[in-house]
Amino acid sequence: MPVKPAVGTPAEVTQGSRTGGGVGESTLRPDGILKVTGEFAYASDMWHEDMLWGQVLRSPVAHAEILSVDTGEALATPGVHAVMTYDDLPTGVRTYGLEIQDTPVLAHGRVRHHGEPVAIVAADHPETARRAAARIRVEYRELPLVTDESSATAPGAPLLHEDRADHRAGHVPHPNVVHRQPIVRGDVAAARGRADFVVEGEYTFGMQDQAFLGPESGLAVPAEDGGVDLYVATQWLHADLRQIAPVLGLPEDKVRMTLSGVGGAFGGREDLSMQIHACLLALRTGRPVKIVYNRFESFFGHVHRHPARIHYEHGATKDGRLTHMKCRIVLDGGAYASTSAAVVGNAASLSAGPYVLDDVDIEALALYSNNPPCGAMRGFGAVQACFAYEAQMDRLADAVGMDRVGFRQLNAMSQGTVMPTGQRVDSPAPVAELLRRVKAMPMPPRRQWLAAGEQADVRELPGGLSNTTHGEGVVRGVGYAVGIKNVGFSEGFDDYSTARVRMEVVGGEAVATVHTAMAEVGQGGVTVLAQIARTELGVVRVTIQPADTRVGSAGSTSASRQTYVTGGAVRNACGLVREKVLELGRRRFGTYHPAWATAELLLEGGRVVTDGGEVLADLADVLGDEAVEVEEEWRHRPTEPFDLRTGQGFGHVQYSFAAHRAVVEVDTELGLVKVVELACAQDVGKALNPLSVIGQIQGGTVQGLGMALMEEIVVDPGTAKVRNPSFTDYLIPTILDTPDLPVDVLELADHHAPYGLRGVGEAPTLSSTPAVLAAIRDATGLELNRTPVRPEHLTGTA
């Protein structure tokens, strides 16, 4: 029996849609109503009548030698169909990884982090699978831990990956360093001598979880040809395929992947989780196998945002001009590489922030440790740097005696500025203007209870519904921050997307079908692709086919790149389809009207018209019984790797900018914070869907608020075990924590990009966190050099 598709997946809900408009219009999401009413089906809702359930056994310790694994009791459990360990894997490739293939499919010889997969089970009921996994007996001998830079690089430190063979291994100071990227430009020592003020700071950034709505899930179905069909929630179908097929010992054309409903991602679904395990069990048992993590497992099943230790030194003249910058950023990558090398590249190349700095000495590196693996998360290295350099800007402005916003504007980069990497910014960079706009927004009114001491609605007080304060000792603070983020894959990565566009007549009407492998993870890409097709082809009805590996790669839904790259591919494919349609029209009707040969022709409202508005034919008549189809790859301009010694190079294709103003109220006696408002101004180049753009900005803003005040995976330093793998103890903002979120959208076109657009989703996550911290500092006078801020940091009890 074939697998039942997830009812309400993006493809289905856009099928035959007549809603929405073209580029520049606020079009409602076709999956929106289904999601808010609970009718949308996610990957965890997939079902097959004769399916089995998969379960993963994870390591209870962070670093240990595996002495023995006994699966006998688990195999004897009624209802169990398979138990697999490393020794049961197909011969050949047994590791995977996005950039460096250092992650074992199942632990072999030793485990390197708390929660590492050791064995997998398939059973006829999920509870049976869990009980059987618990009956697998694993004997461990614990090993010394690597938990920070000192323990990672000390003489005699345990090597987590002794046999490193990746191309960066020769450029790191120690085998426990994943990657190191220096950037050196100008003469910092001489510039320091010109500085009237020098400010240094040490900053600590906590480990953040993506905390997506839908835990990891998918369904693997064995096929008659010996292959497997995998229905899964992911961010990058083709990268998954590239890693899965070699482990299964299958050619890629026998591993067919289809995107299922994705409940958020934010980088946490770039790496593999349950994909290989489900396929292995399906091929072993000959039955479909579904794996759905619970929330506890999800905290161990995906990478997190890198925690960081950061040191900055900035100098400035007495008139407020920046002289130089030195920084060192140490990111903890955890047990396996994931995307740590790319995160290092971003952290280093963006560590100067959106400011003019000619003299810099930068070092960023990522460690291997026995802490949880870290990789991609919204903002990708730039978030950690922005938190620290924006705190530095406030401290420098205070030292010079300048207004904090004015100091930033004085030093703000603009189009033509040369980055520390030597790359000249060749598109609009309206940093000073964004700061002006966000500062000019109306301030939220002060609450009357602050002035009069009257009782207020407890929901509006610091502490919220916990009602721990009545307004005594509450102080208001205002803070500003601005950030810079790259868009798209960088450092010479071959960044492209593929689109297949078909135009034909259905029911007497010309319709378009768009097929890409773009993962819709909640960002609204299916809406934008339909808008592009309507704009370019002049049709009303657009169908977005399910994303799968039967069309060329679209790359990852990350790096704010999909509208840019897959949107560019769809636009180009539509352009080729349009030319073929017009050629059909010229052949069929060209002899009847000279405009077919002489005029500029457009497709609008289902018709062929001249640029003067004269109608020449209906598209349905032009197409007749024919269909026009084009598959097109599209690449943005090439980038190049950063030099591993100097950090110079044209590394990024585009930059995006956002500025925030935070208004907070702090109970300084109890250490409670209420964020009253987080206002944002952001340049988006071109808002293809203004409503979605605002939603992306507001979502990124709230995610940054979470990092500022509550979100942190706590790892016990003595055991390297995660202490809070649940939403009971890992807190994320709710609607009660969400402040007013006014947004000012600026549209300054980047002529290198389709429609002049600029990636939107990540930039607001950068500057919202330091803006909140700046506002709390303004209210309390405290230094606050770590995030998230906890009550004890505000009351002096930490």
Side-chain angles (χ1 to χ4, degrees), residues 52-58 69-85 88 106 117-137 277-282 284-285 288-292 297:
L52 302 173
W53 295 81
Q55 180 65 42
V56 180
L57 175 69
R58 300 181 181 276
V69 181
D70 183 354
T71 62
E73 190 177 348
L75 282 166
T77 302
V80 169
H81 289 253
V83 178
M84 298 181 71
T85 67
D88 299 305
L106 293 169
V118 177
I120 50 178
V121 176
D124 56 13
H125 191 278
E127 289 303 322
T128 303
R130 291 190 184 96
R131 287 197 303 270
R135 290 171 178 168
I136 299 172
R137 306 303 176 198
H277 297 155
C279 291
L280 286 168
L281 290 170
R284 170 61 68 93
T285 62
V289 173
K290 177 178 177 177
I291 296 180
V292 179
E297 292 172 295

Side-chain angles (χ1 to χ4, degrees), residues 32 83 138 272 307 414 460 594 672 689 712:
V83 178
V138 184
L272 296 180
S414 58
E460 303 300 330
L672 302 173
N689 186 327
E712 183 177 17

